[in-house]
Amino acid sequence: MRTTQARHEEYFSFLRSVSLLRGLPEEKLAKIVDCLEVDYFEKGEHIIREGEEGNTFFIIAKGEVIVTQSTEGFAEPQEIKTLGVGDYFGEKALISEDVRSANIICSENDTHCLVVDRDNFNQMVGTYEELQAYLKEYVEELSRSDERRNCK
Ligand code: WNU
């Protein structure tokens, strides 16, 4: 069995490679690792459902997911993009204080996501102004591209 120490080191070095978190001081990163949960998904599973309430932020540590969204003129949610290792999702519901705005569906077996809850997300983002500004801007851009795509 892997020790807690080994797990900590593994996720710490992984998080250091995630571009979003580049500017975070090491002690902040270590705290995030302490309060992470790891969730495992199989191909076809919904990780996030559009319209549901959500209180978690995800970082992909292994595998791949697709993002889909309900769109005017289409019966089925339409695929918007694919995300892979080092990508993250779920920030929009936390930042906009809204329900989930898209579906996240696992597209590869044995996908691992690091999960940060709302309190820890707020601590992570709140203590780092550049990250906060970056994410706010990105979330506004997502809303604009949703409108351009005629999401429902
Ligand atoms: C998009 N429109 C919407 C993505 C991930 C991180 C960043 C893009 Cl910084 P949520 C559903 C999640 C949402 C986003 C993610 O899906 N998402 C998008 C879009 O065009 N959401 N509305 N592209 S991937 C992505 C930028 O994370 O957060 O909590 O749940 O609404």
Side-chain angles (χ1 to χ4, degrees):
M1 208 186 97
R2 232 154 26 108
T3 61
T4 306
Q5 173 80 14
R7 192 198 87 117
H8 196 284
E9 278 167 21
E10 182 185 330
Y11 290 130
F12 182 81
S13 65
F14 168 67
L15 286 180
R16 264 208 313 211
S17 76
V18 173
S19 62
L20 178 74
L21 307 175
R22 191 171 290 148
L24 279 183
E26 297 218 333
E27 69 268 19
K28 282 268 148 35
L29 222 46
K31 276 196 189 137
I32 295 170
V33 177
D34 286 335
C35 54
L36 276 180
E37 300 235 350
V38 189
D39 269 357
Y40 304 90
F41 301 94
E42 298 300 323
K43 188 170 177 166
E45 264 187 87
H46 269 78
I47 303 174
I48 284 180
R49 270 179 211 278
E50 197 177 342
E52 288 190 349
E53 281 183 21
N55 292 299
T56 42
F57 172 71
F58 299 80
I59 301 168
I60 304 172
K62 180 174 187 292
E64 208 174 75
V65 307
I66 58 170
V67 187
T68 74
Q69 197 174 46
S70 306
T71 309
E72 297 288 355
F74 295 88
E76 297 295 318
Q78 298 297 293
E79 187 170 334
I80 306 173
K81 61 193 89 160
T82 300
L83 305 176
V85 173
D87 290 335
Y88 45 89
F89 55 89
E91 78 301 328
K92 195 169 190 297
L94 300 182
I95 290 174
S96 335
E97 312 238 2
D98 202 349
V99 295
R100 297 299 194 184
S101 58
N103 299 292
I104 305 284
I105 303 162
C106 176
S107 55
E108 197 177 292
N109 283 330
D110 198 29
T111 289
H112 301 187
C113 292
L114 309 185
V115 188
V116 180
D117 69 22
R118 183 186 289 269
D119 286 346
N120 291 311
F121 177 80
N122 284 340
Q123 279 202 24
M124 171 176 106
V125 172
T127 51
Y128 180 31
E129 264 172 49
E130 280 166 70
L131 184 58
Q132 193 161 24
Y134 175 84
L135 282 174
K136 268 213 164 121
E137 182 128 333
Y138 210 140
V139 160
E140 283 164 19
E141 177 56 33
L142 288 183
S143 297
R144 285 193 291 272
S145 61
D146 288 354
E147 282 178 36
R148 280 198 298 273
R149 259 196 326 271
N150 298 315
C151 90
K152 283 184 194 163

